[in-house]
Amino acid sequence: MAGIGPLTQDWEPIVIRKKAPNAATKKDEKVVNAARRAGAEIESVKKSNAGTNRAASSSTTLNTRKLDEETENLAHDRVPTELKKAIMQARMDKKLTQAQLAQLINEKPQIIQEYESGKAIPNQQIIGKLERALGTKLRGKK
């Protein structure tokens, strides 16, 4: 450090301040009450949809009207009567229970019950497994 010159210290005070209050702290109840006591002007504005669970436009829109006017009845396909009878007949011919057939095709017994009662939604993979296990053709022309 020799040869640089005399070392001096800067003794000016440093002031550390907090951040300016953000919008949330300005709206805090304590801050508002303190401002009222101090006599400051306070402006309060009520928002139109504040505190409600309604959309900005609560009137019926074009899409909701279309949905209300929709009359088409949508339902999943169910197992046809011919298929469920064919599954039952082929299972009886092989002298299998529903549980045994389900085990043969690696499915739950409930699946076989649903197919035989006509409640299942047809799945081509399961029908293919049933055809192989029962040795009969279940879909298409006989």
Side-chain angles (χ1 to χ4, degrees):
M1 294 278 200
I4 295 176
L7 294 176
T8 60
Q9 291 187 354
D10 188 13
W11 290 101
E12 290 184 29
I14 297 175
V15 179
I16 299 175
R17 295 185 183 157
K18 293 182 180 178
K19 297 190 293 186
N22 58 11
T25 40
K26 287 180 185 176
K27 295 176 188 174
D28 187 32
E29 192 176 343
K30 291 178 184 176
V31 174
V32 172
N33 286 338
R36 282 186 183 139
R37 282 191 294 273
E41 255 187 64
I42 298 173
E43 179 184 350
S44 61
V45 179
K46 173 136 173 58
K47 293 184 180 179
S48 60
N49 277 347
T52 64
N53 199 14
R54 275 186 262 143
S57 63
S58 60
S59 64
T60 39
T61 60
L62 183 64
N63 289 339
T64 51
R65 190 175 325 119
K66 280 183 185 177
L67 286 173
D68 289 341
E69 292 170 358
E70 186 66 42
T71 58
E72 187 178 352
N73 191 6
L74 302 174
H76 289 290
D77 291 333
R78 297 288 176 209
V79 175
T81 310
E82 304 86 37
L83 179 61
K84 65 182 187 179
K85 286 182 180 175
I87 292 171
M88 269 192 264
Q89 190 61 46
R91 182 177 59 81
M92 298 288 194
D93 291 345
K94 287 256 185 175
K95 296 185 174 113
L96 293 171
T97 64
Q98 289 180 344
Q100 290 169 336
L101 178 58
Q103 193 172 15
L104 277 174
I105 66 167
N106 292 326
E107 294 290 342
K108 294 179 182 177
Q110 181 183 354
I111 301 289
I112 305 300
Q113 289 171 357
E114 288 174 355
Y115 269 83
E116 288 187 359
S117 66
K119 294 178 182 175
I121 298 170
N123 183 340
Q124 296 303 316
Q125 280 186 317
I126 293 176
I127 295 172
K129 288 179 183 180
L130 287 168
E131 285 178 339
R132 282 192 298 278
L134 297 171
T136 59
K137 188 165 181 160
L138 300 173
R139 21 177 194 188
K141 298 189 178 180
K142 295 180 181 175

